[in-house]
Amino acid sequence: MTNTGGILEGKRILITGVLMESSIAFHAAKLAQEQGAEIILTAWPRPTLTERIAKKLPKPTTVIELDVTNDEHMAGLADKVRAELGGLDGIVHSIGFAPQDALGGNFLDTPFESVSTAMHVSAYSLKSLTMALKPLMPAYDSASGAGGGSVVGLTFDAQFAWPQYDWMGPAKAALEATNRYMARYLGPEGIRCNLVSAGPLGSMAAKSIPGFSDLASVWDSRSPLNWELTDPEPTGKAIVALLSDWFPKTTGEIVHVDGGLHAIGA
């Protein structure tokens, strides 16, 4: 049942990356609707899969086919979103991909073509997606603080070299740097840009990483708070909070939702 008067009441949010019910993006979409937002989803490469999963959300929503590496898709995105929602107040970037030869211990042998793909899809798309949709965000009034918007992306802590993660690590580092530069350049227009750094979750994206269980096992012994691989809701809540007006002066930030592991040395 959809709540009224939630922290996203009246907000219009575009959410990428809803692939399965276990996806972080699905839980962000569900919570956003429950908190009063109108949402629209994008999907690639199988929009029909996202359309099927979207039926499990509290309210019906439109799914737009979007390949962030396709210039035609990006050029037409704003018009499609405008036709559905009229404008936009927030974006959730939950997009990441690396070819198999860029993962699983192949770091030293990965060709640049695969590295380039990982960087384009996982990092550059944060900028290109935001700029494609920026014209839909309300004009910012610095006196009142009204207008602008919120962009929230997902990362996996790029401070460390994780087992098996290989070129997705540098791609996430590039994503984190991109977020900081976007915060710098878009702040004067009232657009906040932040990332949520989630611990490992048993999503489709995670399961595509060879040796994911070895990476995830680190949390069993080192995370101060009990970490559940099957519970994306805490991450979804952080995304919704950053989309809301409750973080009006926070930008360029990385909020860790990882049970506290990022703060623990050994």
Side-chain angles (χ1 to χ4, degrees):
M1 184 175 180
T2 303
N3 295 330
T4 58
I7 62 171
L8 294 184
E9 190 70 28
K11 301 287 188 187
R12 300 155 298 177
I13 311 292
L14 178 137
I15 300 175
T16 66
V18 174
L19 295 174
M20 299 176 65
E21 200 169 350
S22 61
S23 301
I24 294 171
F26 174 85
H27 286 265
K30 176 177 178 289
L31 290 164
Q33 285 189 334
E34 290 173 350
Q35 291 299 318
E38 289 184 82
I39 69 168
I40 190 167
L41 306 180
T42 73
W44 183 261
R46 293 191 292 171
T48 54
L49 176 61
T50 299
E51 288 167 356
R52 187 162 66 247
I53 298 301
K55 292 177 181 177
K56 299 183 179 182
L57 291 170
K59 293 167 59 179
T61 187
T62 298
V63 176
I64 297 174
E65 183 179 30
L66 179 66
D67 173 4
V68 291
T69 67
N70 183 312
D71 291 341
E72 289 185 12
H73 283 200
M74 296 298 280
L77 180 60
D79 287 341
K80 292 178 180 178
V81 175
R82 185 183 289 108
E84 291 290 332
L85 299 181
L88 204 61
D89 302 289
I91 301 166
V92 176
H93 180 279
S94 180
I95 300 170
F97 172 76
Q100 283 298 303
D101 63 355
L103 301 165
N106 295 314
F107 187 88
L108 298 179
D109 299 315
T110 304
F112 180 71
E113 182 181 8
S114 296
V115 174
S116 176
T117 297
M119 292 290 178
H120 190 171
V121 177
S122 308
Y124 181 78
S125 66
L126 179 67
K127 192 280 297 188
S128 58
L129 180 67
T130 300
M131 294 307 292
L133 295 168
K134 179 174 165 285
L136 301 182
M137 292 187 172
Y140 179 60
D141 179 358
S142 58
S144 66
S150 175
V151 179
V152 183
L154 282 164
T155 189
F156 187 72
D157 203 328
Q159 298 179 84
F160 308 105
W162 298 101
Q164 313 297 328
Y165 205 51
D166 289 358
W167 281 100
M168 276 302 293
K172 290 298 187 183
L175 176 74
E176 293 176 9
T178 299
N179 176 67
R180 289 189 288 270
Y181 277 93
M182 285 177 50
R184 181 185 188 97
Y185 286 109
L186 294 177
E189 298 181 62
I191 298 173
R192 296 172 286 122
C193 303
N194 296 288
L195 299 178
V196 174
S197 181
L201 292 162
S203 63
M204 180 182 289
K207 290 174 181 176
S208 69
I209 301 170
F212 172 74
S213 60
D214 294 337
L215 189 157
S217 67
V218 174
W219 267 254
D220 293 339
S221 57
R222 292 185 55 210
S223 173
L225 297 175
N226 182 49
W227 185 255
E228 296 288 345
L229 286 173
T230 57
D231 185 13
E233 188 166 300
T235 307
K237 286 181 175 179
I239 292 169
V240 167
L242 288 168
L243 289 169
S244 78
D245 294 332
W246 284 92
F247 284 85
K249 298 299 179 183
T250 298
T251 194
E253 186 59 87
I254 300 174
V255 176
H256 288 81
V257 183
D258 65 349
L261 187 137
H262 72 282
I264 303 302

